[in-house]
Amino acid sequence: MTDTADLIVVGAGILGLATAWRAHRDGLSVHVIDRSDRPVGASVQNFGHACFTAQSDDLRDLGAVSADGWAAAAADAGFRASRPGTVLPAVTAAEMQVLEEFHAHRGDADVRLLGPGTVRDRLGNPALDCLGGAHLPRDMRVNPREAAPALARHLVARGVRFSWRTSVHAVGDGEVHTSRGTFRAAQTVVCPGEHLNDIFPDLVDEHGVRTCTLTMALIDRPSGIPDDLAMLTGTSMTRYDGIAAMPSVDDLRRELVGREPALTEAIANVMATSVPGGILVGDSHDYATSPEPFIDADQSDLLLDRTTRYLGIGQPVVRQRWQGRYADSPSTNLVLHRPDGRTTVAVVTSGIGMTLSFGIADLVLTGADAPGK
Ligand SMILES: Cc1cc2nc3c(=O)[nH]c(=O)nc-3n(C[C@H](O)[C@H](O)[C@H](O)COP(=O)(O)OP(=O)(O)OC[C@H]3O[C@@H](n4cnc5c(N)ncnc54)[C@H](O)[C@@H]3O)c2cc1C
């Protein structure tokens, strides 16, 4: 048994890497352990959309800390993190009403209402039939296929030890038991994402943690679509806690059930973001302990059709399709648990881990509780 570091981080997804980056910056020696040979989990499968504004009011401060972390880590590790904001077109009066309420609730610094012409310009679709929309200027964009791998490479170059292809079986009281033996550290932070059950099954039982699967695609980006696009739509307004708290959201939900029954059935969040070489489009939500591995072709085509309608792309060229997976809980957005004085477990149990990762790393390392606790 060897003392390897001040801090062992289990999991080299964005949450583990953000924690490792911050701890290293604070002068700790850090050892990262991951069962894969590179980041391949939720942190590379997603939209790269750091959607601070749409989160609930009590996550606003955490979002601000996370935004600073993203900007500093990107500058340090040499990956791109930009702040183009998010555009939300309103295609019906019910959607516009929700956006107006959100604007009245948050104010101009967070939510700017847009006329229809500006929405069309921002989405690159002059023919979009919309009533107007909103811009959320604080939101950030990263390329999910670049950010976590770049951060891992940067930490390696700075002398942080990585043990890839090493599965962790148990953690407690400063000991980390793995497929390559036991390691010791003063503190251990466990960020296993959807694989929490492998190490802490009792936490899975306590919070009903399950896996959410999402149908995704990468399409070619026509030249008229902005290269820093981040678009949410009416379905998104009903999903993100901040916007979904507005009084007229139930009216919008009812409208969507009638107008878009198949999207409602798919628990869709029709959205799109640009990455170099394309546009990421999605998504649907399906919840299971052990999900089916198959992508439903009709559902994939439905999401492609609806997303590209907003963008005026008549014949999308699909480059990739995949099923994304993240940890979910019906009762909390974040499992933050300290089973003993030397162990912290952190799992984002909602589709907001890219948004909040650097803020959660701050909670983990300062010993703070999750907001609202
Ligand atoms: C399709 C999709 C779209 C999304 N869109 C967004 C978005 O737009 N905005 C947003 O904020 N969030 C989004 N999310 C959610 C976000 O991607 C996740 O919340 C976040 O990436 C979780 O990061 P993580 O580090 O906790 O998990 P992961 O990236 O899954 O990393 C966990 C790591 O732990 C390792 N590991 C697990 N168990 C063990 C073990 N026993 N031993 C060793 N290693 C282990 C795994 O190999 C993995 O590398 C999306 C997710 C998906 C799938």
Side-chain angles (χ1 to χ4, degrees), residues 10-17 33-36 38-51 55 164 166-169 191-196 198-199 212 214 216 240 271 283 322-327 346-348 350-356:
V10 178
I14 197 61
L15 193 46
L17 292 170
I33 301 175
D34 198 292
R35 57 163 35 149
S36 305
R38 65 194 191 286
V40 289
S43 301
V44 301
Q45 301 166 5
N46 63 65
F47 288 97
H49 185 219
C51 183
Q55 308 307 324
W164 299 107
T166 304
S167 293
V168 172
H169 309 310
C191 308
E194 58 150 335
H195 304 289
L196 179 64
D198 293 5
I199 315 176
C212 177
L214 304 87
M216 297 284 291
Y240 289 89
M271 64 178 285
D283 58 29
W322 66 100
Q323 191 192 60
R325 297 166 68 124
Y326 64 68
V347 177
V348 185
S350 170
I352 56 176
M354 290 297 275
T355 306
L356 296 179

Side-chain angles (χ1 to χ4, degrees), residues 8-75:
I8 290 178
V9 175
V10 178
I14 197 61
L15 193 46
L17 292 170
T19 305
W21 172 80
R22 228 210 90 158
H24 175 72
R25 200 190 55 173
D26 291 349
L28 300 184
S29 62
V30 182
H31 179 186
V32 180
I33 301 175
D34 198 292
R35 57 163 35 149
S36 305
D37 70 353
R38 65 194 191 286
V40 289
S43 301
V44 301
Q45 301 166 5
N46 63 65
F47 288 97
H49 185 219
C51 183
F52 309 113
T53 315
Q55 308 307 324
S56 60
D57 290 355
D58 62 1
L59 292 178
R60 288 177 78 187
D61 291 347
L62 192 66
V65 174
S66 200
D68 290 347
W70 269 114

Side-chain angles (χ1 to χ4, degrees), residues 47 232-233 235-236 239-240 267-271 282-285:
F47 288 97
L232 299 179
T233 67
T235 50
S236 324
R239 284 195 62 80
Y240 289 89
I267 319 179
N269 174 12
V270 173
M271 64 178 285
D283 58 29
S284 53
H285 297 82

Side-chain angles (χ1 to χ4, degrees), residues 131-187:
L131 303 177
H135 181 233
L136 314 180
R138 294 191 195 279
D139 294 352
M140 293 178 77
R141 292 272 312 112
V142 296
N143 177 356
R145 296 159 186 222
E146 177 195 29
L151 197 49
R153 277 197 306 276
H154 169 75
L155 291 172
V156 169
R158 289 289 174 90
V160 171
R161 180 176 173 194
F162 276 70
S163 295
W164 299 107
R165 294 186 295 111
T166 304
S167 293
V168 172
H169 309 310
V171 178
D173 292 320
E175 293 192 353
V176 178
H177 302 279
T178 82
S179 51
R180 295 180 193 273
T182 299
F183 299 98
R184 287 177 61 83
Q187 290 287 327

Side-chain angles (χ1 to χ4, degrees), residues 87 115-132 224 226:
V87 178
T118 312
V119 172
R120 290 179 194 119
D121 287 348
R122 297 261 174 120
L123 297 181
N125 179 8
L128 180 68
D129 186 11
C130 68
L131 303 177

